[in-house]
Amino acid sequence: MREFSEENPSKASIIMEYMTGNLSLHIFDNITPDDILQVLRTIAALQAASLKFTDEDKALFLKDIFKVVFGQALTKENVTSSLGLVRQFGSDRLGKCIDQVESIAMETSHFGCPVTDIARLLCACLSAKDRRENWEYLLGKFYCFLKEEVGNHEMPYTLEQLIQAYRRFFPFGAFMVFPMIAPMFQLAKKSDDTEYNERVQKLIFEKTKGLLEDLVKFHEEDKNEANHGENKKIIE
């Protein structure tokens, strides 16, 4: 890996493999928790590989990349706009949840935790029911995969830290799925196939309602925990 310079005008190389027979899935095409395991194993392999980076390797990565990418996207205006689309296609049934989500300062959320990809994966690919019932089990399986990949080296974090990271990152991870949801509502409404329309809207509504409810739930739990910690410090 060489740093970009006048002598090396190529910033990067993208290596891709063409694979036939792939199945494209929409946001409403939920997969099963068992199907998620294959992806979790791959994420574990990537995380384990990153532990071998030297300081010189790390210096080549763009610093604060997520701040650069999302710093302007997650303004109050853009958050309100994204949720407005969900409100428009989700009817009044989601109004209360959306009102609660709009009060959360998304711009204070951040990346940098080991569960970023996992949280977004579970939010986008599982039904609300399957996600709620299996997220701790899936994190446990991921941790086992990571142990296998790391081998005899020291683990970068504990399972408890991974679970805590999921809880804290979830509000942001769930919110990032919403821009994919509203267009699917719109697509379903335009279809002349009544059965398809009803099926898609039912699936999307279940996922969206669950994400909104759990976004608020995890945010409130994290806020209460933070307040409890501050009160404990004052008492001590």
Side-chain angles (χ1 to χ4, degrees), residues 163-215:
I163 291 174
Q164 183 69 3
Y166 177 90
R167 289 180 174 277
R168 290 185 172 177
F169 180 78
F170 185 90
F172 193 19
F175 176 79
M176 292 179 67
V177 177
F178 292 144
M180 296 184 284
I181 290 178
M184 290 298 102
F185 268 121
Q186 191 173 23
L187 180 65
K189 284 181 176 291
K190 289 182 178 180
S191 174
D192 295 328
D193 188 334
T194 304
E195 184 178 345
Y196 169 82
N197 190 322
E198 292 178 352
R199 182 181 72 86
V200 169
Q201 290 204 49
K202 181 179 179 180
L203 290 171
I204 296 178
F205 181 82
E206 188 267 354
K207 176 175 289 188
T208 304
K209 186 173 184 291
L211 288 174
L212 288 168
E213 290 175 346
D214 293 346
L215 189 160

Side-chain angles (χ1 to χ4, degrees), residues 48-62:
S50 71
L51 299 176
K52 301 175 183 178
F53 290 160
T54 64
D55 290 339
E56 184 179 2
D57 292 332
K58 295 175 183 178
L60 297 177
F61 289 94
L62 178 64

Side-chain angles (χ1 to χ4, degrees), residues 61-79:
F61 289 94
L62 178 64
K63 295 182 179 179
D64 297 326
I65 182 172
F66 294 113
K67 182 178 180 181
V68 173
V69 174
F70 292 101
Q72 296 182 356
L74 289 174
T75 61
K76 183 175 180 58
E77 292 74 17
N78 289 338
V79 169

Side-chain angles (χ1 to χ4, degrees):
M1 183 184 295
R2 292 190 299 161
E3 188 172 0
F4 173 71
S5 65
E6 292 183 1
E7 291 75 24
N8 179 38
S10 177
K11 288 189 176 182
S13 297
I14 300 177
I15 302 174
M16 304 177 67
E17 178 183 2
Y18 178 74
M19 302 181 69
T20 61
N22 288 327
L23 178 65
S24 297
L25 299 175
H26 290 296
I27 192 71
F28 53 81
D29 291 318
N30 297 321
I31 62 178
T32 69
D34 286 340
D35 291 331
I36 290 285
L37 295 179
Q38 180 182 354
V39 186
L40 292 181
R41 183 177 287 279
T42 301
I43 295 175
L46 291 173
Q47 281 200 17
S50 71
L51 299 176
K52 301 175 183 178
F53 290 160
T54 64
D55 290 339
E56 184 179 2
D57 292 332
K58 295 175 183 178
L60 297 177
F61 289 94
L62 178 64
K63 295 182 179 179
D64 297 326
I65 182 172
F66 294 113
K67 182 178 180 181
V68 173
V69 174
F70 292 101
Q72 296 182 356
L74 289 174
T75 61
K76 183 175 180 58
E77 292 74 17
N78 289 338
V79 169
T80 301
S81 176
S82 295
L83 292 174
L85 290 174
V86 177
R87 187 192 299 274
Q88 178 182 350
F89 295 107
S91 72
D92 295 336
R93 295 176 295 173
L94 298 177
K96 183 178 179 180
C97 290
I98 293 175
D99 290 340
Q100 291 176 303
V101 171
E102 285 183 328
S103 67
I104 298 174
M106 289 295 174
E107 64 271 15
T108 62
S109 301
H110 62 87
F111 284 80
C113 66
V115 80
T116 298
D117 292 329
I118 301 173
R120 294 173 62 192
L121 175 70
L122 302 192
C123 287
C125 298
L126 295 178
S127 67
K129 181 178 183 297
D130 282 344
R131 175 178 51 76
R132 286 168 167 170
E133 293 177 354
N134 293 279
W135 70 268
E136 288 190 79
Y137 159 75
L138 291 171
L139 288 183
K141 293 294 292 184
F142 168 80
Y143 197 75
C144 290
F145 295 152
L146 185 62
K147 273 187 175 180
E148 294 176 12
E149 295 291 339
V150 171
N152 296 326
H153 297 283
E154 182 181 358
M155 289 290 286
Y157 46 80
T158 66
L159 176 58
E160 290 72 20
Q161 288 173 324
L162 181 68
I163 291 174
Q164 183 69 3
Y166 177 90
R167 289 180 174 277
R168 290 185 172 177
F169 180 78
F170 185 90
F172 193 19
F175 176 79
M176 292 179 67
V177 177
F178 292 144
M180 296 184 284
I181 290 178
M184 290 298 102
F185 268 121
Q186 191 173 23
L187 180 65
K189 284 181 176 291
K190 289 182 178 180
S191 174
D192 295 328
D193 188 334
T194 304
E195 184 178 345
Y196 169 82
N197 190 322
E198 292 178 352
R199 182 181 72 86
V200 169
Q201 290 204 49
K202 181 179 179 180
L203 290 171
I204 296 178
F205 181 82
E206 188 267 354
K207 176 175 289 188
T208 304
K209 186 173 184 291
L211 288 174
L212 288 168
E213 290 175 346
D214 293 346
L215 189 160
V216 174
K217 172 179 175 288
F218 281 120
H219 171 72
E220 290 297 325
E221 289 178 352
D222 189 38
K223 184 171 66 173
N224 291 337
E225 183 178 334
N227 291 337
H228 177 73
E230 289 298 321
N231 292 335
K232 185 177 179 181
K233 287 181 181 179
I234 294 174
I235 294 173
E236 292 175 348

